[in-house]
Amino acid sequence: MNKTNGKLTVAAVADLHVREDTASSYRDLFSEISGAADVLVIAGDLTDLGKPKEAELLAAELRSCAVPVVAVLGNHDHESGFADDVCSILLEAGVHLLNGQATEIDGVGFVGAKGFAGGFGRYMLSSFGEAAIKAMVAESVDEAMRLENAMRQVRAKRALVVLHYAPIAETVIGEPPEIYPFLGSSRLAETIDRFHVDAVVHGHAHRGTYEGRTPGGAPVFNVAADVEKPTGKPYALLQV
């Protein structure tokens, strides 16, 4: 185990985008993480197009990971309409795949939901106008409620929230401002700040910023693989 001062060492990464037609492999990365951390967290976009074959390739790669794996799906994992199949394959491979649930590992509650778009602060989209806009806002609210229900399941004193979409604007800075509303929603941060949370991780904003905080002070980390991190690696290492 890699505990420091009684805390769990968590390796967190997002946006692996495993593809059928790529020669790249994550085996060495997962093996490295097994020596550096107690838990691996993957914050969405595990696959590139949400195809079962991509999920099977990732499941095979994860055999080189010797620590528990916690994950949520991302938008890419829904692209082909096979999200349920992707979930089944990864669950069968032993991944703790969370969608509005919590799981406890060695005294830390891991809480997971995909999240959704909607915008931040006073620019957050409201439920007004066309049915399509109302449906989008309803999806954002539903994801925040899914996160809240999961938070209520936590009994551990320490908690880490796993999302794909960002809960704050601070960690999407670096992306074009025009697409901020599609990268996350403040509704997620409002939910998080109603509970004690030690850290939040998300992905999705590949050109975003590594670190920020919710209005209530919870630390938020953008762990998309392309975002520069203190480790100098595709993954962050967090003490929870």
Side-chain angles (χ1 to χ4, degrees):
M1 302 293 280
N2 296 278
K3 282 189 173 184
T4 302
N5 297 324
K7 292 188 174 183
L8 210 61
T9 301
V10 177
V13 67
D15 303 283
L16 298 179
H17 293 280
V18 172
R19 299 173 56 179
E20 290 183 77
D21 60 349
T22 182
S24 62
S25 171
Y26 289 107
R27 288 180 185 271
D28 289 345
L29 183 69
F30 293 151
S31 179
E32 177 184 316
I33 286 170
S34 297
D38 301 301
V39 179
L40 166 61
V41 167
I42 309 176
D45 281 2
L46 297 89
T47 65
D48 194 51
L49 294 173
K51 295 180 177 180
K53 179 61 176 177
E54 294 172 338
E56 289 169 0
L57 289 171
L58 176 58
E61 299 269 275
L62 284 170
R63 290 183 189 136
S64 65
C65 187
V67 298
V69 181
V70 177
V72 299
L73 296 189
N75 59 312
H76 277 249
D77 301 311
H78 286 264
E79 167 61 20
S80 297
F82 294 110
D84 288 345
D85 299 280
V86 169
C87 287
S88 295
I89 291 163
L90 295 174
L91 286 168
E92 189 173 329
V95 176
H96 298 273
L97 196 60
L98 305 178
N99 181 23
Q101 299 93 24
T103 188
E104 185 173 330
I105 300 174
D106 205 13
V108 176
F110 291 82
V111 184
K114 175 174 62 65
F116 196 59
F120 304 99
R122 64 192 182 99
Y123 300 109
M124 191 164 54
L125 192 64
S126 62
S127 185
F128 182 86
E130 298 95 326
I133 294 294
K134 292 176 181 176
M136 184 175 180
V137 173
E139 182 72 14
S140 185
V141 171
D142 285 349
E143 283 293 320
M145 288 299 300
R146 189 172 282 115
L147 176 62
E148 180 167 345
N149 290 337
M151 290 298 311
R152 294 188 186 281
Q153 300 172 27
V154 176
R155 297 293 176 264
K157 292 183 178 179
R158 292 169 288 157
L160 185 146
V161 172
V162 186
L163 301 166
H164 182 59
Y165 286 83
I168 58 173
E170 194 175 352
T171 50
V172 306
I173 293 172
E175 295 281 1
E178 293 83 359
I179 69 169
Y180 279 18
F182 303 100
L183 297 176
S185 169
S186 290
R187 289 184 175 90
L188 298 167
E190 290 169 2
T191 298
I192 288 164
D193 283 341
R194 288 198 285 271
F195 299 89
H196 169 75
V197 172
D198 293 271
V200 182
V201 297
H202 73 85
H204 195 41
H206 293 218
R207 291 184 287 176
T209 299
Y210 174 61
E211 188 172 359
R213 287 186 178 271
T214 66
V220 178
F221 302 94
N222 179 353
V223 296
D226 293 333
V227 169
E228 186 176 348
K229 305 172 183 68
T231 58
K233 306 282 188 177
Y235 59 89
L237 287 175
L238 308 175
Q239 299 294 324
V240 184

